[in-house]
């Protein structure tokens, strides 16, 4: 079963609270970090970092994804056979048999998705733990412009809390989302093209422009996300400084307003993309009904083909939305990861907000 397979492949989870654990060797990456302190640098790409610290977990994710992806097209073919063969021939026995196969396929899909989610959760929590330990090991130099300067506690707290979880969350999705969602789209479109290439080609043309719009808008979101992350860090720094010096100033309020304005600017761009995605999701079945209906009326295709295409387009819509969201998340995660790595190396904390 997926759960047992995943448990076998992950042996470095933290022990339950209150229970001691015998000493064991540190993973190579963590041992190197302990031994070299601040001299150890993070890879420049979040994907290189993901493979460096979670290659075994990513391998499990790839295996589960490779088994799960082809199962996505099985229900589509079963639907077509149930309409064409079982209902067309009024064969109740065949209908029950195909229905049973449909149920088995659904159970297999959900079991594999459960195992995939467990594997992803292990990767996320393990990477979060590694990042937080790395921050702690380098806490004396975080935010210091030069040796001997007092470390920035606000930056350390922001990195150990939200930023570590955001980076680790992406690492967990780094391979699973593009593999599962991208593979589902390719297999589904491949099957639909095999059934009727004309309707499949029209559906593909409908979704293709969405990517180019997302790419253009996402560049602006990336710049805003990097600035917003720096503002949040300075919020923490200002709060700690004002608490230590027992003084009140307007800088904290100014930073709060700036963080609010940046977030609202991100929301406006983000929800434009959401609006476009939802519009395409609703437009797809309408295009299939109109074009496919024209083919049915003129005797160029069957009603069962139209049923399969309506179901297929709906099956493509959700993976497409998730793949677009993943692309946007990947861009923001890379931006935040670079800032995270630069801060650990002592080169990112004092850059101007707009850079």
């Amino acid at each position: 079963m997926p759960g047992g397979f995943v448990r076998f492949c992950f042996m470095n989870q933290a022990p339950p609270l209150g229970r001691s654990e015998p000493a064991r060797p540190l993973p190579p990456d963590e041992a190197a970090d302990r031994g070299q302190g601040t001299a150890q640098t993070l890879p420049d790409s979040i994907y290189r970092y993901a493979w460096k610290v979670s290659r075994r977990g990513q391998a499990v994710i790839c295996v589960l994804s490779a088994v799960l992806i082809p199962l996505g097209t099985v229900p589509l073919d079963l639907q077509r056979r149930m309409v064409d063969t079982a209902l067309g021939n009024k064969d109740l026995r065949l209908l029950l048999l195909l229905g049973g196969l449909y149920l088995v396929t659904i159970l297999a899909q959900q079991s594999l998705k459960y195992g995939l989610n467990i594997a992803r959760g292990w990767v996320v929590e393990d990477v979060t733990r590694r990042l937080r330990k790395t921050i702690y090991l380098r806490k004396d130099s975080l935010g210091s412009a030069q040796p001997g300067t007092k470390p920035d506690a606000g930056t350390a707290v922001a990195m150990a809390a939200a930023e570590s979880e955001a980076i680790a969350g992406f690492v967990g999705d780094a391979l699973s989302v593009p593999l599962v969602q991208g593979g589902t789209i390719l297999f589904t479109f491949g099957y639909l093209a095999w059934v009727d290439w004309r309707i499949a080609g029209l559906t593909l043309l409908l979704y293709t422009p969405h990517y180019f719009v997302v790419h253009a808008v996402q560049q602006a979101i990336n710049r805003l996300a990097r600035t917003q992350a720096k503002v949040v860090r300075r919020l923490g720094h200002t709060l700690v400084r004002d608490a230590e010096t027992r003084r009140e100033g307007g800088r904290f309020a100014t930073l709060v307003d700036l963080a609010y304005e940046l977030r609202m600017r991100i929301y406006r761009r983000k929800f434009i993309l959401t609006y476009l995605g939802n519009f395409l999701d609703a437009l797809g079945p309408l295009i299939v009904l109109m074009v496919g209906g024209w083919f049915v009326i003129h005797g160029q295709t069957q009603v069962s083909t139209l049923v399969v295409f309506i179901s297929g387009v709906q099956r493509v819509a959700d993976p497409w939305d998730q793949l677009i969201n993943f692309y946007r998340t990947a861009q923001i995660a890379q931006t935040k990861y670079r800032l995270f790595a630069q801060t650990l190396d002592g080169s990112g904390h004092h850059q101007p907000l707009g850079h």
Side-chain angles (χ1 to χ4, degrees):
M1 295 298 292
F5 177 58
V6 172
R7 273 196 304 274
F8 173 77
C9 293
F10 290 86
M11 302 300 293
N12 60 344
Q13 64 270 29
L17 292 176
R19 185 181 300 176
S20 61
E21 184 184 52
R24 62 188 174 193
L26 290 169
D29 301 315
E30 190 173 331
D33 226 7
R34 281 187 180 274
Q36 297 182 26
T38 58
Q40 182 79 1
T41 59
L42 297 182
D44 58 351
S45 167
I46 193 170
Y47 269 96
R48 290 181 182 177
Y49 176 76
W51 185 251
K52 176 182 177 182
V53 300
S54 62
R55 60 173 66 92
R56 184 166 59 175
Q58 300 293 352
V60 174
I61 288 173
C62 289
V63 170
L64 293 175
S65 300
V67 178
L68 177 63
I69 291 169
L71 287 178
T73 58
V74 174
L76 292 176
D77 193 59
L78 289 174
Q79 288 175 8
R80 185 176 65 86
R81 293 177 185 275
M82 291 170 77
V83 174
D84 271 352
T85 308
L87 296 181
N89 298 328
K90 297 182 179 180
D91 190 338
L92 179 60
R93 184 174 181 179
L94 179 59
L95 181 64
L96 293 175
L97 175 62
L98 294 175
L101 291 175
Y102 200 125
L103 179 61
V104 171
T105 302
I106 293 174
L107 291 174
Q109 284 179 313
Q110 298 310 312
S111 298
L112 287 168
K113 287 180 180 178
Y114 172 78
L116 189 61
N117 288 333
I118 292 295
R120 177 190 174 277
W122 252 307
V123 169
V124 169
E125 295 307 318
D126 183 62
V127 173
T128 302
R129 180 175 60 176
R130 287 173 179 270
L131 288 172
R132 286 172 174 165
K133 287 182 177 180
T134 301
I135 293 168
Y136 185 80
L137 289 171
R138 308 185 190 185
K139 64 184 183 301
D140 294 333
S141 62
L142 286 181
S144 301
Q146 51 186 301
T149 306
K150 185 177 180 180
D152 185 349
T155 295
V157 170
M159 292 175 66
E163 293 184 29
S164 293
E165 291 187 354
I167 293 172
F170 175 78
V171 170
D173 289 339
L175 291 182
S176 65
V177 171
L179 279 177
V180 174
Q181 308 307 333
T184 299
I185 292 172
L186 290 176
F187 267 79
T188 302
F189 265 119
Y191 176 77
L192 294 179
W194 177 72
V195 173
D196 192 317
W197 64 269
R198 299 166 299 180
I199 306 178
L202 182 63
T203 306
L204 183 62
L205 288 176
L206 177 68
Y207 281 97
T208 301
H210 190 199
Y211 167 78
F212 296 100
V213 175
V214 169
H215 179 74
V217 176
Q218 189 60 46
Q219 301 307 310
I221 294 178
N222 291 346
R223 293 189 292 269
L224 291 171
R226 180 178 178 86
T227 304
Q228 200 264 347
K230 290 184 176 182
V231 169
V232 171
R233 288 185 181 184
R234 293 196 180 182
L235 272 173
H237 170 74
T238 303
L239 182 61
V240 172
R241 184 197 62 192
D242 290 352
E244 290 177 348
T245 59
R246 297 181 180 275
R247 70 176 183 181
E248 296 183 3
R251 180 166 176 76
F252 184 80
T254 301
L255 289 172
V256 169
D257 291 339
L258 179 57
Y260 166 82
E261 177 60 27
L262 288 168
R263 181 62 71 179
M264 292 305 300
R265 290 168 65 184
I266 291 173
Y267 282 158
R268 285 192 288 269
R269 289 159 176 80
K270 174 182 175 182
F271 291 131
I272 285 175
L273 299 179
T274 302
Y275 169 85
L276 178 59
N278 291 337
F279 175 74
L280 290 177
D281 291 346
L283 185 62
L286 176 61
I287 296 295
V288 169
L289 276 172
M290 297 301 294
V291 177
W294 188 89
F295 286 147
V296 170
I297 291 173
H298 289 79
Q300 297 184 24
T301 192
Q302 299 176 336
V303 175
S304 61
T305 300
L306 191 59
V307 172
V308 168
F309 265 91
I310 293 173
S311 178
V313 168
Q314 292 173 340
R315 287 177 180 271
V316 166
D318 183 58
W320 176 258
D321 289 342
Q322 293 194 40
L323 204 58
I324 291 295
N325 288 333
F326 172 80
Y327 170 76
R328 290 157 48 188
T329 302
Q331 295 292 306
I332 294 175
Q334 178 62 29
T335 299
K336 291 184 175 181
Y337 172 78
R338 284 176 180 169
L339 182 60
F340 190 98
Q342 288 170 357
T343 303
L344 288 179
D345 296 338
S347 60
H349 178 70
H350 296 277
Q351 294 180 6
L353 289 178
H355 290 71

